[in-house]
Amino acid sequence: MVRNPERRAALVDAAVEVLAAEGARGLTFRAVDTAAGVPTGTSSNYFAHRDDLLGQIDVWLHRRLAPDPAVVEELLTRPRDRALVTAFMRDLLARAQRDRTGFLALMEMRLEAGRRPELRASLMKSLRGDLDEGIAFNAASGLPGGAEEITLLYLGTLGLILEHLTMPGMLDGAIPGVSVPDGVVERLVERIVPEA
């Protein structure tokens, strides 16, 4: 059987939907076939086993959730200051809100990686690569802050995204006078990233 790359991509997208909605335990080939609207057994023709599917989801999510190059290019026309760091963090948060399913699926992948050492190795490589790329981008772009600040900002923003997507409203009023999520992003940058 000739494998169709468009169908493979549609199956991986369907798997992301299943993972976000049902969690890792609900991620079966049958569930993916149903979500993709294809005949039962189709997914098993495209993926050797569940770990293969999880690996494909890992690769696809990192592409799907990546920043838009045009947005990055536009942002880089601005002065290299704390306000620009805030703008990049706001873009990240906006992407999380636009693609809630993708970010929830990534959170599910993290949970599953905690139970599956082989997935942990792959996902850790991807996530650490993202962090290292962010640190390198920050330095190459002349933005304020170094590896420590970007790592702390990564951790704070990750926590904010998790809370905002899974428990909307829970943080409202936690910091008096600070809106969620935008005001929290501003505070994170203000507290972590040096002014110059």
Side-chain angles (χ1 to χ4, degrees):
M1 171 179 170
V2 175
R3 299 236 165 88
N4 178 331
E6 290 82 21
R7 180 168 274 187
R8 176 183 285 274
L11 290 168
V12 175
D13 258 339
V16 167
E17 297 293 324
V18 171
L19 188 58
E22 304 295 328
R25 296 203 186 272
L27 184 66
T28 64
F29 284 151
R30 183 180 296 269
V32 171
D33 291 341
T34 299
V38 297
T40 300
T42 302
S43 293
S44 62
N45 289 327
Y46 282 83
F47 308 102
H49 41 72
R50 192 165 179 271
D51 288 336
D52 181 26
L53 177 59
L54 287 167
Q56 293 296 314
I57 292 170
D58 178 20
V59 170
W60 177 235
L61 280 175
H62 284 85
R63 283 190 206 135
R64 177 173 160 168
L65 302 175
D68 179 341
V71 171
V72 172
E73 184 179 341
E74 186 280 319
L75 288 172
L76 287 175
T77 64
R78 301 178 188 182
R80 305 303 201 265
D81 57 13
R82 196 190 283 169
L84 181 55
V85 175
T86 302
F88 274 112
M89 293 300 97
R90 281 192 174 144
D91 175 63
L92 172 60
L93 192 61
R95 285 184 280 123
Q97 291 171 312
R98 275 192 312 271
D99 191 357
R100 181 177 187 273
T101 299
F103 274 87
L104 289 177
L106 185 55
M107 297 298 175
E108 287 290 342
M109 290 283 286
R110 288 170 175 269
L111 292 171
E112 187 66 5
R115 296 181 283 267
R116 302 170 70 96
E118 60 282 352
L119 178 60
R120 183 180 314 126
S122 167
L123 190 60
M124 190 178 300
K125 183 177 179 184
S126 298
L127 293 173
R128 183 54 192 257
D130 289 347
L131 177 58
D132 290 343
E133 187 177 307
I135 291 167
F137 173 82
N138 195 75
S141 299
L143 290 164
E148 180 178 338
E149 289 82 9
I150 298 309
T151 301
L152 291 171
L153 196 56
Y154 165 83
L155 293 169
T157 305
L158 182 63
L160 174 60
I161 289 170
L162 175 65
E163 292 298 328
H164 189 62
L165 294 184
T166 62
M167 299 288 159
M170 194 279 290
L171 291 174
D172 292 349
I175 305 172
V178 175
S179 66
V180 178
D182 290 331
V184 176
V185 167
E186 288 176 15
R187 284 291 171 91
L188 283 169
V189 173
E190 179 184 292
R191 298 286 199 267
I192 294 172
V193 178
E195 193 140 358

